[in-house]
């Protein structure tokens, strides 16, 4: 996921030639039934999991059983589905998750969460501490982490230059392993965006947690659709932005 490249290190007035580990970013084109669907800029790992999750959260497929085959060849990912005439959306270039073009959100057509799943603040703090530590991040300083969990264990972890890509990977892993996503939650290292909320709604994941911030649109959409958004989950503290009833021991949010 990273390579050593030359650099000049500066400490005070001292300049020293050396090398530093830098995260890989590569373009990967996705073709569905022979048609170009999108090009993603991403870390070149867990590609089948990414493709599965992406096709699902973009509603190109409704389940893993609709995929006939996935073929990976260098910078090309080719998928054949059972419905060869599936109509794709507009072509997209998906960047690493910060300001890039991703999905086009129609809030009127978003599904609502159907789950009675609840977790405790203590469980959130413990899980965040366990999963949001990465040797790759320490080495490179340039990676996002997304983890999928239930009450018992960590179900999947993904690291990528883009947190949206990483979220698709853990969702794809769950689909491939037959995991019931309505009784899981995700923890992310970066900001919760409206696009990440949309992906959770499609997957019916009832809680999304970040050790960082969220956006107003993410909270607005989550409030209307039953998703609990939790931010700044670190150091024994957290902020509940929507549906606090999913976090045990919390009351209603007041303005």
């Amino acid at each position: 996921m990273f390579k050593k490249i030359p650099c000049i290190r500066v400490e005070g007035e001292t300049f020293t030639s050396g090398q530093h580990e830098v995260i890989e970013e590569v373009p990967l084109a996705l073709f569905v039934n022979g048609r170009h669907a999108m090009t993603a800029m991403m870390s070149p790992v867990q590609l089948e999991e990414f493709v599965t999750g992406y096709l699902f959260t973009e509603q190109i497929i409704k389940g893993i059983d609709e995929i006939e085959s996935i073929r990976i060849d260098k910078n090309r990912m080719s998928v054949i589905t059972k419905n060869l005439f599936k109509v794709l959306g507009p072509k997209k270039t998906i960047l690493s998750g910060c300001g890039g073009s991703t999905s086009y959100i129609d809030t009127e057509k978003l599904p609502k969460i159907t789950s009675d799943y609840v977790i405790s603040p203590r469980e959130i703090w413990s899980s965040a501490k366990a999963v949001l530590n990465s040797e790759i991040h320490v080495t490179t300083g340039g990676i996002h982490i997304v983890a999928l969990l239930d009450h018992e264990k960590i179900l999947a972890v993904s690291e990528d230059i883009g947190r949206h890509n990483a979220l698709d990977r853990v969702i794809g892993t769950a689909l491939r392993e037959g995991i019931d996503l309505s009784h899981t939650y995700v923890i992310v290292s970066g900001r919760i965006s409206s696009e990440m909320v949309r992906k959770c709604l499609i997957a019916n994941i009832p809680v999304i947690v970040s050790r960082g911030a969220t956006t107003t649109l993410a909270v607005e959409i989550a409030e209307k659709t039953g998703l609990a958004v939790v931010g700044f989950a670190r150091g024994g503290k957290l902020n509940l932005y929507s549906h606090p009833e999913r976090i045990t021991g919390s009351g209603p949010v007041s303005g």
Side-chain angles (χ1 to χ4, degrees), residues 19 35 59 105 129 156 173 199 214 226 229 237 246:
Q19 292 186 325
R35 289 168 287 180
Q59 298 180 288
I105 298 176
K129 184 177 181 180
T173 299
K199 289 179 183 293
T214 185
V229 171
K237 300 179 181 179
R246 294 197 183 279

Side-chain angles (χ1 to χ4, degrees), residues 5-246:
I5 65 172
C7 69
I8 296 176
R9 300 179 184 274
V10 181
E11 294 186 24
E13 297 183 359
T14 302
F15 291 70
T16 306
S17 296
Q19 292 186 325
H20 190 259
E21 295 83 355
V22 177
I23 286 292
E24 287 187 86
E25 179 181 10
V26 301
L28 287 163
L30 173 63
F31 289 79
V32 180
N33 299 328
R35 289 168 287 180
H36 180 224
M38 62 88 182
T39 298
M41 306 302 297
M42 61 191 300
S43 302
V45 295
Q46 295 178 296
L47 298 183
E48 291 193 10
E49 289 82 357
F50 167 76
V51 169
T52 303
Y54 174 83
L55 294 177
F56 181 75
T57 60
E58 292 300 319
Q59 298 180 288
I60 297 171
I61 62 171
K62 294 181 179 179
I64 185 70
D65 59 323
E66 293 187 22
I67 298 177
E68 287 282 3
S69 65
I70 299 176
R71 181 179 177 182
I72 312 289
D73 184 17
K74 295 183 179 180
N75 295 92
R76 180 186 177 110
M77 303 175 287
S78 299
V79 178
I80 301 297
T81 69
K82 290 184 178 179
N83 180 3
L84 295 176
F85 302 101
K86 177 70 176 180
V87 177
L88 304 179
K91 292 181 182 179
K92 309 169 189 178
T93 296
I94 299 183
L95 304 181
S96 56
C98 298
S101 171
T102 52
S103 297
Y104 305 96
I105 298 176
D106 183 347
T107 55
E108 297 300 319
K109 296 181 180 179
L110 288 175
K112 290 181 171 57
I113 296 294
T114 56
S115 172
D116 59 0
Y117 194 72
V118 297
I119 58 176
S120 70
R122 188 174 297 278
E123 185 175 359
I124 290 173
W125 294 321
S126 175
S127 298
K129 184 177 181 180
V131 301
L132 297 183
N133 293 307
S134 165
E135 291 184 9
I136 295 177
H137 178 74
V138 171
T139 300
T140 66
I143 201 76
H144 280 293
I145 309 169
V146 175
L148 179 74
L149 311 93
D150 61 15
H151 287 310
E152 297 179 355
K153 60 183 178 296
I154 299 169
L155 301 169
V157 178
S158 177
E159 296 173 293
D160 196 280
I161 56 172
R163 61 199 189 284
H164 304 96
N165 298 339
L167 179 55
D168 275 333
R169 280 202 192 91
V170 299
I171 291 173
T173 299
L175 293 173
R176 297 171 74 85
E177 296 183 3
I179 294 170
D180 179 5
L181 286 165
S182 69
H183 285 75
T184 65
Y185 62 104
V186 291
I187 295 180
V188 305
S189 58
R191 181 182 65 252
I192 298 173
S193 67
S194 58
E195 172 67 358
M196 298 192 79
V197 164
R198 187 194 68 82
K199 289 179 183 293
C200 287
L201 295 177
I202 298 298
N204 199 30
I205 297 171
V207 181
I208 182 169
V209 178
S210 175
R211 69 178 173 195
T214 185
T215 68
T216 56
L217 182 57
V219 173
E220 179 183 336
I221 295 171
E223 186 58 46
K224 294 177 181 178
T225 52
L227 177 69
V229 171
V230 181
F232 298 103
R234 59 195 184 201
K237 300 179 181 179
L238 52 79
N239 289 352
L240 305 178
Y241 293 104
S242 64
H243 293 280
E245 70 275 7
R246 294 197 183 279

